[in-house]
């Protein structure tokens, strides 16, 4: 059902937690009846330097959340904001079709966190 | 088999199977009874020659064995392909046979999908279906049935025991009310057989569904009890097998297996009830003490002996199940993670659980081969798994409603 990368990230998720001094926080998912992610980013000079997550959800959404923290660290805010819905699914070695929404939720979390960062820091995109 | 993508799942680890409401293994007495019918005793029960006579005798013996399990006469038992077909036959078969008398059906909001979706099909065909709402323990009050009956009601279908939470309905009282009104009463006793007394007379049942693979028989075989004189229209028309109720050459191997399983289930029911209750009660007590913030779903007393459904708010069901599976513990969740985006169990929602809590629920269902050692093993792993997932979801930090 799941790739070994998914199982690895599910079983030993990276970067679980919160960043009390986060520069951007992204909440995504369905808090009433589904998976949710809270993604905290630390951003210095326009580059993500740290990321932590909390996720309520199935194995795929926990793995996607863990993977998205690894993916986002070291990227610029612009790169992060342009994440595609299936970026994380690909990084995980694929997800079952019925679990693609978990990859999309992780991407939504990144976009929301960058948006939060920009609104807090007044760094509206110049283009 | 060996291409398991995650090597840990392929490890020959101790495995603790606690998913007997999903299915049970074929017990060895049953397997031994079935074996000759694969090869040497292969006859078609409808054939006139001795091969056919041999198969016929075996099918009729199995019919008597199943009849014995539910206090019916052998002539009132018909073999099917399983619980799903029995439920379909009971509901659609009655609807079709009685539609001239009315087009109203009464059922509940916690039925198995075989009943629920048969009723949904009939709604699309113009029947009216009343879904009685269970209380917070999953029970229907017989008075609700009485109030819902109309002159146009042709069928009441209420399950004896629920597969997810184990709640047992007051079927005897309901059956009395329904039959006094001349309405047909069906009950799905798939989960009850072998664990609780299933007596078509005490229940006042006109139709009753059974399945082989929940009672240590094979998969793909089941039975329906149809009270003498109750008419139903077949769903499979053909060569007039099974007294024209269910056509198709008899699945002799499966039927023989189901017969043996039924006989043993009847014989061992009382000791099985005690054994299953003891293990379930021990697990329930330890979970309540050793894990914070849990909620047990189902009726505290009127419940199947081996079934324990627990919500662990802050942890999600599929994650719990996969973590337990990695620890060699097989359980299940009512939430349908198979059908796309997670959908909370309709049964838990019917109890009034909020969707998040419903999503964090696990069903443990014990069987005859389990021991108290299995309870100890589960409790050596479960608390750690729940707290790990709660940590990941930050339930502890109050970010997720508990
Ligand atoms: C209550 C109930 N009814 C019906 C069924 C369906 O039985 P089968 O799997 O034999 O089709 C099941 C099993 O899942 C069940 O638990």
């Amino acid at each position: 059902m799941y790739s070994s990368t998914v199982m690895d990230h599910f079983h030993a998720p990276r970067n679980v937690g919160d960043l009390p001094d986060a520069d951007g926080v992204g909440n995504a998912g369905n808090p009433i009846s589904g998976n949710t992610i809270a993604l905290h980013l630390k951003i210095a000079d326009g580059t993500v330097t740290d990321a932590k997550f909390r996720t309520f959800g199935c194995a795929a959404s926990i793995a996607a959340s863990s993977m998205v923290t690894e993916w986002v660290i070291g990227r610029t805010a612009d790169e992060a904001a342009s994440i595609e819905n299936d970026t994380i699914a690909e990084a995980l070695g694929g997800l079952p079709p019925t679990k693609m929404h978990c990859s999309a939720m992780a991407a939504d979390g990144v976009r929301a966190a960058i948006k939060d960062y920009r609104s807090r820091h007044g760094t509206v995109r110049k283009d | 088999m060996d291409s398991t993508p995650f090597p840990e799942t392929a490890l020959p680890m101790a495995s603790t199977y606690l998913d007997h409401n999903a299915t049970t293994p074929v017990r060895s007495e049953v397997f031994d009874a079935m074996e000759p019918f694969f090869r040497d005793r292969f006859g078609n029960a409808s054939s006139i020659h001795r091969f056919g006579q041999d198969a016929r005798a075996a099918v009729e013996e199995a019919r008597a064995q199943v009849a014995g399990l539910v206090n019916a006469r052998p002539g009132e038992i018909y073999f099917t392909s399983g619980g799903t077909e029995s439920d379909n036959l009971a509901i659609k078969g009655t609807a079709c046979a009685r539609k001239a008398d009315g087009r109203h059906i009464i059922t509940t909001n916690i039925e198995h999908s075989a009943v629920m979706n048969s009723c949904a099909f009939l709604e699309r065909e113009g029947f009216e279906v009343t879904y009685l709402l269970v209380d917070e323990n999953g029970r229907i009050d017989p008075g609700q049935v009485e109030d819902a009956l109309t002159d146009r009601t042709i069928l009441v279908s209420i399950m004896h025991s629920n597969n997810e939470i184990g709640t047992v309905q007051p079927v005897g009282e309901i059956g009395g009310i329904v039959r006094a009104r001349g309405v047909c009463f069906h009950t799905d006793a798939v989960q009850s057989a072998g664990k609780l007394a299933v007596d078509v007379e005490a229940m006042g049942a006109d139709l009753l569904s059974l399945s082989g693979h929940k009672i240590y028989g094979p998969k793909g075989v089941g039975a329906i009890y149809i009270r003498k004189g109750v008419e139903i229209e077949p769903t499979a028309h053909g060569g007039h097998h099974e007294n024209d109720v269910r056509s198709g050459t008899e699945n002799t191997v499966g039927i023989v297996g189901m017969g043996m399983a039924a006989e043993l289930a009847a014989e061992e029911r009382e000791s099985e009830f005690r054994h299953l209750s003891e293990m379930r009660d021990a697990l329930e007590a330890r979970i309540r003490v050793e894990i914070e913030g849990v909620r047990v779903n189902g009726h505290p007393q009127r419940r199947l002996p081996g079934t324990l459904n627990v919500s662990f708010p802050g942890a999600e069901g599929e994650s719990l199940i996969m973590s337990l599976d990695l620890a060699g513990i097989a359980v299940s969740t009512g939430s349908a993670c198979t059908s796309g985006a997670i959908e909370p169990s309709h049964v838990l929602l019917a109890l009034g659980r909020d969707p998040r809590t419903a999503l964090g629920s696990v069903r443990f269902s014990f069987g005859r081969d389990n021991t108290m050692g299995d309870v100890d093993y589960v409790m050596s792993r479960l608390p750690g798994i729940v707290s790990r997932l709660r940590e990941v979801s930050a339930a502890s930090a109050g970010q997720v409603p508990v």
Side-chain angles (χ1 to χ4, degrees):
Chain A
M1 178 174 175
Y2 289 131
S3 72
S4 53
T5 313
V6 172
M7 291 308 290
D8 177 32
H9 277 263
F10 167 60
H11 205 52
R14 333 295 196 249
N15 304 311
V16 172
D18 330 282
L19 294 171
D21 54 350
D23 298 299
V25 174
N27 289 295
N30 177 349
I32 308 297
S33 65
N35 300 336
T36 46
I37 182 172
L39 182 68
H40 290 210
L41 300 182
K42 193 85 199 114
I43 300 174
D45 297 332
T47 299
V48 178
T49 55
D50 200 4
K52 296 259 190 253
F53 81 94
R54 302 278 193 184
T55 287
F56 171 89
C58 63
S61 57
I62 290 174
S65 304
S66 166
M67 179 58 92
V68 87
T69 59
E70 290 202 329
W71 179 89
V72 79
I73 293 172
R75 292 190 194 259
T76 65
D78 285 352
E79 282 169 346
S82 64
I83 187 172
E84 304 274 341
N85 275 354
D86 55 4
T87 300
I88 298 306
E90 279 165 24
L92 286 169
L95 281 173
T98 58
K99 294 292 185 181
M100 289 306 290
H101 65 102
C102 303
S103 173
M105 180 184 78
D108 287 344
V110 172
R111 285 187 285 256
I114 297 297
K115 190 169 168 216
D116 180 48
Y117 160 71
R118 286 179 173 152
S119 69
R120 285 198 214 184
H121 292 75
T123 48
V124 182
R125 286 187 63 169
K126 292 165 205 87
D127 53 26
Chain B
M1 286 300 289
D2 291 327
S3 62
T4 316
F6 191 59
E8 232 179 288
T9 60
L11 288 180
M13 63 167 70
S15 66
T16 302
Y17 185 80
L18 290 175
D19 202 11
H20 292 82
N21 287 13
T23 196
T24 60
V26 169
R27 52 191 288 183
S28 57
E29 301 93 320
V30 170
F31 181 79
D32 291 346
M34 291 167 69
E35 205 175 4
F37 292 89
F38 281 103
R39 286 206 308 216
D40 306 339
R41 303 176 67 179
F42 63 89
N44 182 326
S46 300
S47 300
I48 291 167
H49 48 63
R50 69 189 62 196
F51 291 89
Q53 289 167 25
D54 177 55
R56 171 57 56 200
V59 167
E60 295 315 316
E61 187 187 336
R63 203 184 304 283
Q65 287 168 312
V66 173
L69 177 65
V70 298
N71 190 29
R73 283 169 286 192
E76 297 171 313
I77 299 295
Y78 302 84
F79 288 106
T80 66
S81 65
T84 299
E85 187 188 337
S86 297
D87 286 341
N88 273 265
L89 194 52
I91 293 165
K92 296 179 194 167
T94 301
C96 198
R98 293 203 175 193
K99 59 176 182 261
D101 301 337
R103 289 177 157 253
H104 179 230
I105 294 169
I106 298 170
T107 184
T108 78
N109 60 344
I110 61 161
E111 296 297 313
H112 187 269
S113 50
V115 167
M116 221 169 53
N117 291 332
S118 292
C119 288
F121 165 76
L122 289 173
E123 280 186 289
R124 294 195 295 277
E125 295 292 304
F127 286 78
E128 186 196 338
V129 180
T130 300
Y131 296 90
L132 300 176
L133 308 181
V134 297
D135 69 15
E136 60 169 13
N137 292 323
R139 287 263 287 185
I140 290 289
D141 184 309
Q144 291 173 269
V145 180
E146 184 135 45
D147 293 345
L149 283 163
T150 72
D151 295 343
R152 294 168 299 105
T153 311
I154 52 171
L155 172 71
V156 174
S157 177
I158 294 181
M159 72 197 316
H160 184 229
S161 58
N162 182 272
N163 44 302
E164 282 185 42
I165 55 173
T167 296
V168 180
Q169 303 299 342
V171 156
E173 271 178 81
I174 294 171
I177 291 167
V178 173
R179 293 190 58 227
R181 293 278 295 262
V183 173
C184 191
F185 180 51
H186 167 245
T187 188
D188 177 333
V190 163
Q191 292 289 345
S192 307
K195 301 171 199 153
L196 304 171
V198 176
D199 180 329
V200 293
E201 294 308 328
M203 290 175 164
D206 294 304
L207 302 161
L208 181 140
S209 304
L210 295 168
S211 174
H213 71 106
K214 312 285 186 182
I215 57 169
Y216 306 92
K219 296 167 185 50
V221 62
I224 181 169
Y225 158 80
I226 305 177
R227 182 177 292 275
K228 191 165 187 285
V230 170
E231 298 237 353
I232 67 168
E233 180 66 27
T235 50
H237 298 91
H240 314 295
H241 304 86
E242 292 293 288
N243 210 14
D244 223 2
V245 163
R246 200 272 185 175
S247 287
T249 298
E250 287 85 349
N251 166 15
T252 324
V253 178
I255 289 170
V256 165
M258 171 138 190
M260 179 56 79
E263 181 175 322
L264 295 166
E267 261 171 40
E268 297 172 8
R269 175 174 62 80
E270 288 178 22
S271 58
E272 189 70 358
F273 181 92
R274 284 191 297 274
H275 176 56
L276 298 178
S277 299
E278 191 185 19
M279 293 183 292
R280 190 272 313 277
D281 292 349
L283 180 62
E284 177 172 342
R286 287 194 59 184
I287 286 176
R288 284 180 187 279
V289 169
E290 295 174 40
I291 304 178
E292 264 178 54
V294 302
R295 177 136 196 199
V296 173
N297 302 307
H299 196 282
Q301 287 87 37
R302 307 211 52 88
R303 186 168 41 149
L304 284 171
T307 301
L308 178 63
N309 189 305
V310 189
S311 298
F312 300 95
E316 188 274 339
E318 188 205 276
S319 289
L320 283 165
I321 282 164
M322 296 206 47
S323 299
L324 287 164
D325 187 43
L326 290 172
I329 299 165
V331 297
S332 69
T333 175
S335 50
C337 33
T338 45
S339 62
I342 38 176
E343 223 172 88
S345 141
H346 72 285
V347 176
L348 296 179
L349 294 181
L351 305 185
R353 297 288 176 272
D354 68 87
R356 272 279 172 124
T357 303
L359 285 175
S361 305
V362 171
R363 177 188 70 189
F364 304 86
S365 51
F366 288 90
R368 59 192 298 273
D369 295 329
N370 290 125
T371 65
M372 281 297 198
D374 294 327
V375 173
D376 292 337
Y377 181 62
V378 169
M379 290 313 294
S380 74
R381 305 301 295 266
L382 181 65
I385 287 169
V386 172
S387 63
R388 183 180 84 83
L389 291 172
R390 282 176 168 175
E391 159 78 15
V392 171
S393 80
S396 50
Q399 294 192 0
V400 170
V402 176

